[in-house]
Amino acid sequence: MASEIHMPGPVCLTENINGQLMVNQEALKILSAIKPVVVVAIMGLYRTGKSYLMNKLAGKKKGFSLGSTVQSHTKGIWMWCVPHPDKPNHTLVLLDTKGLGGVEKGDNENDSWIFALAILLSSTFIYNSVGIIKQQAMDQLHYVTELTDGIRAKSSPDANEVEDSADFVSFFPDFVSLRDFSLDLEANGHSITADQYLENSLKLKPDTSEKDKNFNLPRLCIQKFFPKKKCFIFDRPTHRKQLAKLETLQDDELDPEFVQQVAEFCSYIFSHSEIKTLSGGIKVNGPLLASLVQTYVNVISNEDLSCMENAVLALAQVENSAAVQKAIAHYDQQMGQKVQLPTETLQELLDLHLASESEAIEVFVKSSFKDGQNFQKELLTQLEKKLDDFCKQNVQTSSDHCSTLLQDIFSPLEEEVKHGIYSKPGGYNLFLQKTQELKEKYLQQHRKGAQAEEILQKYLMSKKSVMDAILQADQTFTEKKKKIEEQRVRAESAESSAKMLEEMQIKNQQMMQQKEKSHQEHVKQLTEKMERDSAQLLEEQERTMALKLQEQAELLKEGFQEESRQLHNEIKSLQNNIDLLASLLFVTVILNPRFMKFLR
């Protein structure tokens, strides 16, 4: 549970060692132990106070190093997992990146990949900087413009290799901009809010020159990739000489405006940052986040283009394989608790299997994503084998138990036969009477299993020669009566054989029905998952559509016809996707037998 996580301080999640981006395996172990995660990442130039704010989000005065010297103190990405203050059983994962443009490294490529990782891993991305938003500040955000060079959303982009920014919107985090300056918020002589200030700063220029295009590029990228934007303005917390010991100062030693601004910032992050979600509405937990970190870093280390679609599919292979094993483990646990071999009937075992199988499929469905049915088919194959093994064990256990039981019950009779007790006139009828009594005693025993009748008949048939010998030795039977008795015994034996054959046919029929039930259960849960996933994806696409329409309206209002036309193509493509998803969802619902039954 998230509330059980206890990290006294941050640990390094990723770092650059000799030009190679590496993952701290201990940090991944920590992530693997937590469930729902809300991931908040912060980035900005060194000495911009970002670590102080992250400590505030963690509810601590110390933790992330403030790095008050010129050297950027945080190298790579540092992680601190703390219980979420507002969401019970959720973990707030705080990621503090190394300062952009740290003088010690001067590695632009390293900064670009750290920026990309922070974007890809977070639910909310915070960019912190100092001073008013001007072109220099925008130039510092050139990493945003490089994201589409280093990261592709799809393995097969649309024509002309131009990707729809809607593909990125589905997995990009919310964008929060932090500004540290003390000027009044005004525009054209009127007071404005921090959000209005950010929107004004992101306005485009008519791109009549190369300079204008360079001016517009980072702004366009922020508008396209981050439809949800928020801005906070901070006053200077204290005078310059006190900044070096900021983490030791009490709130009453800081500027009251700054203290209030920090409180509002923390409140917003706690209430508005959502669980990290991948495209298609896939909720990310700790183990999945750990796999994401490793997957992205592996792609970067291999100097390959980080394709979101391929990265998530590669991750799905690992997670779905683990989901199969998790489902099988649940099945084994349930069957181990419920099944006591031998079961009285085969149907009893099949019913227990069906109940455990249904739960196992549910476990798999909850843990898997982007399966394409391959792993669910593997699960079905493994569950079928598990059932076959249980059936064989059931047969063997029942057979062994019944054989032992028959030996115990009939051994006195066998001893009497050896001593010639029934080798006398009238002995045959006495033998039949005794045999019948022992049969009834055997049949009264409980938990013999499904092989009870078959093992009994096999035992009696094995003693046929003994019975024939006793019949032939009985002088009270004439030859005619002996032949009549032999015919009766043969008829009884044939009837028993027919009964055994009928039971075998019934068992085969039960197994076939069980396989059909298993198939229907898989189809049922798969269909339900498809319905949920399609509905979730449709909702996601519609949300993106609304944001794109809003963006287009703003571009038209500002007179940017060319950008509006380009966006129109994106909107058209997005509408086609929505129409297709809606059709697929309709077909899925209509073809679902449960809905068909309801409609009838």
Side-chain angles (χ1 to χ4, degrees), residues 331 343 345-351 353-354 357 380 383-395 450-451 503-519:
Y331 173 86
T343 57
T345 63
L346 173 61
Q347 191 59 53
E348 179 186 341
L349 176 62
L350 296 180
D351 289 342
H353 163 79
L354 185 61
E357 179 186 51
L380 178 58
L383 288 174
E384 284 181 352
K385 186 179 183 304
K386 290 279 184 182
L387 176 58
D388 288 341
D389 290 343
F390 266 111
C391 288
K392 290 175 181 177
Q393 291 178 41
N394 200 38
V395 167
Q451 297 299 106
E503 286 187 357
M504 288 180 61
Q505 291 174 340
I506 291 173
K507 289 178 182 178
N508 288 335
Q509 183 67 25
Q510 287 175 330
M511 289 298 294
M512 291 178 64
Q513 290 174 348
Q514 175 60 42
K515 288 187 176 182
E516 178 60 25
K517 287 180 181 178
S518 294
H519 173 72

Side-chain angles (χ1 to χ4, degrees), residues 158-174:
D158 296 333
N160 303 319
E161 295 294 319
V162 177
E163 290 196 272
D164 190 337
S165 63
D167 297 324
F168 290 91
V169 169
S170 63
F171 59 82
F172 268 34
D174 294 348

Side-chain angles (χ1 to χ4, degrees), residues 229-255:
K229 296 177 284 291
K230 181 70 178 175
C231 184
F232 286 92
I233 302 299
F234 292 98
D235 291 319
R236 182 181 289 272
T238 185
H239 55 80
R240 185 178 61 82
K241 291 183 179 180
Q242 290 285 82
L243 289 176
K245 54 179 181 179
L246 185 59
E247 64 184 16
T248 66
L249 300 178
Q250 300 298 319
D251 283 353
D252 58 9
E253 299 177 86
L254 301 175
D255 183 280

Side-chain angles (χ1 to χ4, degrees), residues 37-40 121-125 173-174 273-277:
V37 291
V38 176
V39 188
V40 177
L121 296 176
S122 60
S123 319
T124 297
F125 177 78
D174 294 348
S273 295
E274 302 292 341
I275 294 176
K276 173 62 181 173
T277 305

